[in-house]
Amino acid sequence: MIQGSSTPLAQRYELALLDLDGVVYLGANPVVYAADGIRQAAALGMRIAYTTNNPSRFPHVVAEQISSFGIDAHAEDVITSAMVSAAMLSQKLPEGAKVLVIGKDHLKDELTKAGLTVVESHTDHPDAVIQSWFPEIGWAHLAEAAYAIEQGAQYFVTNRDLTIPREGGIAPGNGALQIPVIEATGQQPQASAGKPEAAMYHQARHLFSPTDEMVTTERCLPVGDRLDTDIEAANRGGYDSAVVLTGVADAEQIILAKPILRPTYICADLLGLSQPQPAVTTSENGSDTRNFLCENARAWVTDETLHVEVDGEKIGPEDEIRSLNALRAAASAAWAAADAGESVRILPKFARTLV
């Protein structure tokens, strides 16, 4: 079930690892309430750090953008998939191995610092290719990757995000741009450095612990907008997690999530870090239907249908639900039904913005 916390999350957890795209900003624009949420959580004693699968920008550039929203942020607060990729490839390749980088200067710089040789073309006969997302990526870049892989280069990627939130909406991400290379070469990437692998969170916990003693997984809270990267990485690594509804994830995705994709908490936005989280409880009624209760909301499943009630009134099939508590109860009810082998086929309609 969705869990609760009687104290604000910023007091229950020592370190927050915030995703960026869809959580803190959308392209160049800040996410609503993100700055206030970060400042309030920091005032309660939470160490704020940032994790991103986007390898295209140096940490100091990312920190400058965050700071422009009125948040105290520094390069030392940011870890990117480029940094994790360099650590991954330095373990998988011999020192000095040639790597064709489909990416920007930040990724190239991290690989060079890790003792690898960055090359520009398949004609340099690279030992490996690493593909990443950047705004200018085009056919010629994908073709270079394919040519090198066809010549025998190992294939790696910084991350597998199918989409990326931008100013104009949801755009194709690195995972989507890998499909042409996979189709051309018949080769799947051997490994991915970014989320949903847990390596970024483990490395971040080491980098960002506020004292000499590393923060435990139990005191570290990853926060993201994607179930298939941010939340899955947390579950793989043994962390609690919070999903926010300011980016990719919506109510239907959360309700239908498989166990590996389920968050510990659901927050509307980053203001949730400085708030207690209501718990979901259960009760049985006379017909043996299991009710899931979250403050003023109730949810239950009968005949493959998820039912929701708010303030004692059942929500009709044509009505939009705007209650965050209702989503917490509904997700818990649907997860329990799915785990018991029941299908949940008919879902209520949730609004995109919940309170």
Side-chain angles (χ1 to χ4, degrees):
M1 294 190 299
I2 290 294
Q3 300 300 303
S5 175
S6 59
T7 60
L9 296 179
Q11 294 177 331
R12 181 167 183 170
Y13 298 92
E14 189 174 355
L15 172 64
L17 300 177
L18 307 186
D19 182 54
L20 287 169
D21 292 295
V23 177
V24 177
Y25 52 61
L26 295 167
N29 301 326
V31 165
V32 64
Y33 302 126
D36 288 340
I38 291 168
R39 285 193 293 265
Q40 290 178 22
L44 291 172
M46 182 177 247
R47 168 76 158 93
I48 305 295
Y50 305 93
T51 68
T52 176
N53 269 1
N54 185 342
S56 66
R57 298 195 297 168
F58 286 96
H60 75 270
V61 177
V62 174
E64 288 170 3
Q65 180 179 352
I66 298 170
S67 297
S68 73
F69 304 149
I71 303 166
D72 184 25
H74 308 274
E76 295 77 17
D77 301 325
V78 180
I79 185 171
T80 71
S81 62
M83 299 161 69
V84 184
S85 295
M88 177 184 74
L89 290 189
S90 67
Q91 294 173 354
K92 294 183 177 293
L93 300 173
E95 185 175 359
K98 293 188 289 186
V99 182
L100 173 62
V101 177
I102 308 302
K104 300 290 282 185
D105 289 345
H106 174 41
L107 179 56
K108 295 175 183 178
D109 184 64
E110 292 295 330
L111 293 174
T112 300
K113 288 192 295 185
L116 299 166
T117 302
V118 172
V119 299
E120 301 294 333
S121 169
H122 73 281
T123 59
D124 296 312
H125 303 291
D127 301 294
V129 173
I130 186 160
Q131 181 179 343
S132 70
W133 178 91
F134 55 103
E136 301 84 8
I137 191 168
W139 178 89
H141 300 102
L142 303 182
E144 279 294 320
Y147 300 152
I149 294 165
E150 289 165 2
Q151 292 175 356
Q154 300 180 63
Y155 184 25
F156 299 96
V157 295
T158 57
N159 62 293
R160 300 178 188 267
D161 301 49
L162 289 171
T163 60
I164 182 170
R166 302 291 289 172
E167 300 95 328
I170 304 300
N174 198 38
L177 295 171
Q178 290 158 33
I179 295 172
V181 178
I182 293 168
E183 289 295 321
T185 64
Q187 298 294 317
Q188 292 283 341
Q190 294 185 27
S192 170
K195 302 169 281 187
E197 306 302 327
M200 179 176 287
Y201 291 155
H202 297 329
Q203 190 169 335
R205 190 160 50 89
H206 175 75
L207 287 174
F208 302 134
S209 291
T211 63
D212 291 337
E213 186 174 347
M214 186 160 52
V215 175
T216 64
T217 56
E218 292 79 13
R219 294 277 288 160
C220 179
L221 184 70
V223 182
D225 70 308
R226 294 189 68 103
L227 303 182
D228 59 352
T229 55
D230 308 315
I231 305 306
E232 181 174 345
N235 287 328
R236 287 188 182 191
Y239 299 85
D240 289 345
S241 64
V243 66
V244 292
L245 304 178
T246 51
V248 173
D250 59 22
E252 182 172 344
Q253 290 180 29
I254 294 169
I255 289 169
L256 297 178
K258 297 177 181 179
I260 194 67
L261 304 179
R262 295 173 186 169
T264 311
Y265 309 101
I266 303 173
C267 301
D269 47 55
L270 289 182
L271 289 175
L273 293 177
S274 57
Q275 300 167 351
Q277 297 294 305
V280 177
T281 59
T282 62
S283 68
E284 308 287 338
N285 63 22
S287 61
D288 295 326
T289 298
R290 192 177 181 194
N291 292 293
F292 290 78
L293 313 170
C294 186
E295 293 190 334
N296 63 331
R298 178 169 74 103
W300 67 100
V301 175
T302 57
D303 299 326
E304 301 185 340
T305 301
L306 177 60
H307 305 275
V308 175
E309 183 179 276
V310 178
D311 292 325
E313 295 186 6
K314 187 174 179 181
I315 306 298
E318 301 303 319
D319 299 325
E320 272 196 330
I321 303 170
R322 297 189 173 274
S323 165
L324 192 58
N325 284 337
L327 176 57
R328 293 175 175 128
S332 300
W335 296 350
D339 292 349
E342 303 175 44
S343 297
V344 181
R345 300 184 184 278
I346 302 176
L347 303 179
K349 294 193 301 182
F350 279 88
R352 190 66 180 84
T353 302
L354 304 179
V355 294

